[in-house]
Amino acid sequence: MSSFLTSKLDHLVPYTPGEQPKDMKYIKLNTNESPFPTSETAQRLALEAASNLQLYSDPECRDLVNTAAEYFGVSTDQIIFTNGSDEVLNFAFMAFCENGAVFPDITYGFYSVFAKLNGVDFKEIPLKQDFSVDINDYMGVNKTVFLANPNAPTGIALGLDDIEKIVKSNPNNVVVIDEAYVDFGAESAISLINKYDNLLVTQTFSKSRSLAGGRLGFGIGSKALIRDLNTIKYSTNPYNVNSMTAAAGIGSLIDDEYIRANCEKIKENREYLVKELKKLDFTMTDSTANFIFAKHSSISGKDIYLRLKEKGVLVRYFDKERLKDYTRITIGSKEQLEVLIDKLKEIIKELL
Ligand code: PMP
């Protein structure tokens, strides 16, 4: 730290992104990326946009907003695009958390970082023993609620009825539902936005839409909420979505059949992985995401993670008391998962 850093940030511990080691070629099952290539239309439109980079990108992302508004059945002033959904989440912490924020103790690690960065008081509410959210903990909390649905790293989702109860019981506070993983089997709360003006739904193109490197996310909510978020966007970086990414986003929405087919493959592969891991004595949460959260009966999460890494497979391990028996494994292609299973069999042989 330099002596120039503002004192209000000198204790900030940044978010740790999933590792991307370059010492060998790994099978990457650690950052919940898609194993499938970016759609062809997305690639083509991004390339076309690349020939005009002398111009600033459109701050309103008009073409993308029009395409997405139609796709999601909302009006164009109910949606904002950002540089990954991380950015819209950060904007929400900046904009809506005067009374503080609440979120589960086990959830997306960036929430507490954003809260600290923005000087927001926050309370982490423990998940139940089985890692599920007790919705009673979020009734009328009088603070801004952040819930990943499905949650990460557990993959467990709340139903739309439960989400609605939480939104309804907090009319004076924004409820942010982070649907980064919704396309792999959970129900979206976008259908509720015209009913509740305190609901903000965020989603990303990073997972189901194979555009993690493009950095594209968005928020959908009432016009007033979106206007507030735009005030922040225009006060920080109006050109937050670059032209190539905006074009790729349109391509991805056009190629929706390809995206849906990929989501179905991920669901099939998830079923396959669950079945195979059970045979190897793993237990896991009931995930509706593109990852599973699994624990071996006698080998620690850290040992699984380290041994797999030695063998060229990356998974995510969290060095936190309640999580340390687990590893989070991204659902890759069938071929990647077959290698993972083979390596796990070797590890079990070596250690037991
Ligand atoms: N929410 C959750 C729960 C996530 O796991 C992630 C991915 N790390 C994000 C949001 C942000 O994803 P992105 O910025 O790539 O849209």
Side-chain angles (χ1 to χ4, degrees), residues 15 17-18 31-32 82-89 107-111 114 147-153 178-181 202-207 211-213 215-218 290-291 316 328:
Y15 175 71
T31 42
N32 300 338
T82 52
N83 192 306
S85 56
D86 281 337
E87 190 177 44
V88 70
L89 290 165
T107 189
Y108 184 33
F110 230 138
Y111 299 160
F114 286 143
L147 280 174
N149 198 48
N151 197 10
D178 171 354
E179 297 186 345
Y181 301 104
T202 66
Q203 288 193 13
T204 180
F205 280 50
S206 296
K207 317 292 177 183
L211 269 174
R215 311 303 302 126
L216 187 64
F218 61 93
N290 68 338
F291 55 84
R316 188 96 193 230
R328 190 196 69 190

Side-chain angles (χ1 to χ4, degrees), residues 53-299:
L53 293 180
Q54 75 278 18
L55 302 177
Y56 280 110
S57 58
D58 172 11
E60 293 176 42
C61 300
R62 265 166 297 192
D63 294 341
L64 175 58
V65 162
N66 289 338
T67 311
E70 192 178 326
Y71 179 89
F72 291 106
V74 300
S75 67
T76 52
D77 43 13
Q78 289 176 313
I79 184 163
I80 179 174
F81 276 93
T82 52
N83 192 306
S85 56
D86 281 337
E87 190 177 44
V88 70
L89 290 165
N90 187 28
F91 286 176
F93 274 95
M94 261 189 234
F96 303 127
C97 295
E98 205 159 7
N99 295 333
V102 292
F103 40 84
D105 62 338
I106 295 167
T107 189
Y108 184 33
F110 230 138
Y111 299 160
S112 57
V113 178
F114 286 143
K116 288 175 194 159
L117 176 65
N118 293 294
V120 168
D121 270 342
F122 65 97
K123 191 172 140 205
E124 293 174 297
I125 301 179
L127 290 180
K128 290 198 279 191
Q129 204 48 42
D130 64 359
F131 292 118
S132 64
V133 168
D134 185 343
I135 64 160
N136 295 313
D137 292 338
Y138 294 86
M139 291 294 155
V141 282
N142 206 28
K143 291 180 193 308
T144 305
V145 176
F146 287 83
L147 280 174
N149 198 48
N151 197 10
T154 63
I156 300 173
L158 287 172
L160 196 54
D161 290 357
D162 283 339
I163 295 289
E164 184 164 5
K165 283 182 197 152
I166 294 169
V167 176
K168 202 172 178 176
S169 78
N170 289 285
N172 300 321
N173 288 279
V174 175
V175 175
V176 180
I177 305 299
D178 171 354
E179 297 186 345
Y181 301 104
V182 75
D183 291 335
F184 305 104
E187 235 178 325
S188 174
I190 290 177
S191 58
L192 298 178
I193 60 143
N194 288 321
K195 208 164 159 192
Y196 299 100
D197 63 4
N198 62 324
L199 170 63
L200 177 68
V201 178
T202 66
Q203 288 193 13
T204 180
F205 280 50
S206 296
K207 317 292 177 183
S208 57
R209 296 190 172 275
S210 302
L211 269 174
R215 311 303 302 126
L216 187 64
F218 61 93
I220 289 187
S222 68
K223 292 176 188 176
L225 287 185
I226 298 304
R227 212 177 302 123
D228 294 340
L229 293 169
N230 268 313
T231 301
I232 295 191
K233 159 173 157 149
Y234 281 83
S235 306
T236 50
N237 182 9
Y239 309 109
N240 60 343
V241 177
N242 74 70
S243 315
M244 291 181 292
T245 293
I250 294 171
S252 156
L253 291 168
I254 292 171
D255 279 347
D256 200 49
E257 243 173 73
Y258 170 71
I259 305 293
R260 295 296 128 210
N262 287 346
C263 289
E264 287 311 308
K265 278 186 220 154
I266 294 292
K267 288 191 218 169
E268 278 167 30
N269 293 355
R270 184 173 67 208
E271 242 174 72
Y272 162 78
L273 182 60
V274 165
K275 203 173 78 209
E276 292 302 310
L277 287 181
K278 279 183 181 163
K279 288 186 206 158
L280 299 181
D281 246 350
F282 280 87
T283 49
M284 55 225 90
T285 53
D286 186 15
S287 172
T288 50
N290 68 338
F291 55 84
I292 57 147
F293 193 52
K295 166 186 165 175
H296 190 262
S297 59
S298 46
I299 307 173

Side-chain angles (χ1 to χ4, degrees), residues 13-76:
V13 180
Y15 175 71
T16 317
E19 60 187 328
Q20 306 199 4
K22 300 284 182 229
D23 56 327
M24 60 185 266
K25 201 165 166 11
Y26 289 94
I27 291 183
K28 266 192 99 261
L29 302 176
N30 65 330
T31 42
N32 300 338
E33 290 146 322
S34 170
F36 308 115
T38 306
S39 89
E40 283 180 12
T41 311
Q43 293 188 39
R44 181 172 54 77
L45 295 183
L47 262 181
E48 279 171 30
S51 58
N52 267 314
L53 293 180
Q54 75 278 18
L55 302 177
Y56 280 110
S57 58
D58 172 11
E60 293 176 42
C61 300
R62 265 166 297 192
D63 294 341
L64 175 58
V65 162
N66 289 338
T67 311
E70 192 178 326
Y71 179 89
F72 291 106
V74 300
S75 67
T76 52

